[in-house]
Amino acid sequence: MKFHSPLLSLLAVLSLTSASQAGISIYLSPNGIETAEASGILNVTTETFNSRANGSVNNFEGTVGTYTTLWGGNVDNGNIYSGATQGKYLGIQADSSTTLTLTGDVAYFGLYFSAGDGGNSFAVKSNGTTIFSFNTAALLAMLPRTDEGRITAINGQQYLTKNYYGQPGTGHNGTEPYAYIHIIGTEGTTFDQIVLSEAPNTAVFENDNHSIRTTAPELPDTLVHIPTAPAPLPIPEPSAAIIGGIGALLLLRRRRA
């Protein structure tokens, strides 16, 4: 019995290690686009916040779900930090977060990311568990405000990264980027909550035009894929690992004999 117990533990570990991981991909629209619909994403439901009174978003039942916040999540009138033609927007104050509990499981969430700073972040959750998180500092690193900066769309077209800076249509606030971000569940992954946060001692996470789809959309080839993490290390084949474990256990028994 002492021999079988470690082997069963090894098998259990291998089973957990080889379990499939949730898949999330992030894409960016061409500069100047402020909605999922204008990005070419079809059949979405969108919350624009235009029908919401200014002030706290806590317990706001919107078209895509329910927003909750202890403090710091507020709807405000459009200004140079929001979309030029989009009306009201949602602002997340420094050192606060707002949770959006979606109307159900979805495989797509889009949001307009305006006047971006390195303190913005979002987490994607399923059944209370975070399956993906993203800090927009990584996005800012992809969008240098230089003449040489380029990013490449799915179709190979290149966009000047400096053109993402400044409010579309007005050019105001030219030191911060504005872009529409797409969060897509891959390989059957779905999620039911989004948590939007702003780090302490920073500014405000301005965002707008939250869109959802229950299924992953067909991607327009004008979108840009945003790398989010290095490829995972390969997992050893279970058969090889089991053989190695059995060999080690047999050797241990011989030494004890």
Side-chain angles (χ1 to χ4, degrees), residues 87-101:
K88 296 182 179 182
Y89 69 98
L90 174 62
I92 314 298
Q93 304 297 314
D95 199 20
S96 74
S97 63
T98 294
T99 298
L100 167 58
T101 300

Side-chain angles (χ1 to χ4, degrees), residues 23-24 105-107 124-126 131 185-186 188-192 214:
I24 298 289
D105 290 339
V106 304
V124 179
K125 293 190 172 188
S126 177
I131 61 172
T186 62
T189 297
T190 59
F191 45 92
D192 54 23
T214 56

Side-chain angles (χ1 to χ4, degrees), residues 71-156:
W71 77 280
N74 298 298
V75 172
D76 203 354
N77 292 327
N79 52 45
I80 65 171
Y81 303 108
S82 64
T85 61
Q86 299 304 312
K88 296 182 179 182
Y89 69 98
L90 174 62
I92 314 298
Q93 304 297 314
D95 199 20
S96 74
S97 63
T98 294
T99 298
L100 167 58
T101 300
L102 301 167
T103 53
D105 290 339
V106 304
Y108 171 84
F109 178 77
L111 77 161
Y112 184 47
F113 163 76
S114 58
D117 64 69
N120 306 158
S121 66
F122 56 80
V124 179
K125 293 190 172 188
S126 177
N127 295 320
T129 299
T130 299
I131 61 172
F132 182 83
S133 59
F134 185 72
N135 187 299
T136 51
L139 176 59
L140 295 176
M142 282 186 60
L143 299 174
R145 192 160 55 96
T146 65
D147 291 336
E148 297 78 19
R150 303 282 193 282
I151 52 176
T152 304
I154 297 170
N155 62 12

Side-chain angles (χ1 to χ4, degrees), residues 51-92:
S51 63
R52 171 69 177 176
N54 288 6
S56 176
V57 76
N58 192 40
N59 294 324
F60 169 45
E61 295 184 4
T63 57
V64 298
T66 301
Y67 296 81
T68 54
T69 181
L70 294 178
W71 77 280
N74 298 298
V75 172
D76 203 354
N77 292 327
N79 52 45
I80 65 171
Y81 303 108
S82 64
T85 61
Q86 299 304 312
K88 296 182 179 182
Y89 69 98
L90 174 62
I92 314 298

Side-chain angles (χ1 to χ4, degrees), residues 163-199:
N163 289 343
Y164 282 88
Y165 285 79
Q167 185 183 49
T170 70
H172 293 153
N173 190 35
T175 60
E176 293 184 311
Y178 294 67
Y180 200 87
I181 297 176
H182 310 266
I183 305 168
I184 300 170
T186 62
E187 301 176 356
T189 297
T190 59
F191 45 92
D192 54 23
Q193 274 190 334
I194 302 290
V195 181
L196 305 168
S197 303
E198 178 72 9

Side-chain angles (χ1 to χ4, degrees), residues 207-257:
N207 60 97
D208 198 0
N209 298 332
H210 296 174
S211 291
I212 60 172
R213 271 181 55 117
T214 56
T215 58
E218 181 176 348
L219 295 179
D221 63 8
T222 53
L223 301 187
V224 177
H225 181 247
I226 301 174
T228 54
L233 294 174
I235 298 172
E237 289 293 330
S239 57
I242 291 172
I243 291 171
I246 292 173
L249 291 169
L250 287 173
L251 180 60
L252 180 62
R253 290 195 69 196
R254 287 178 180 174
R255 288 179 177 176
R256 289 181 177 177

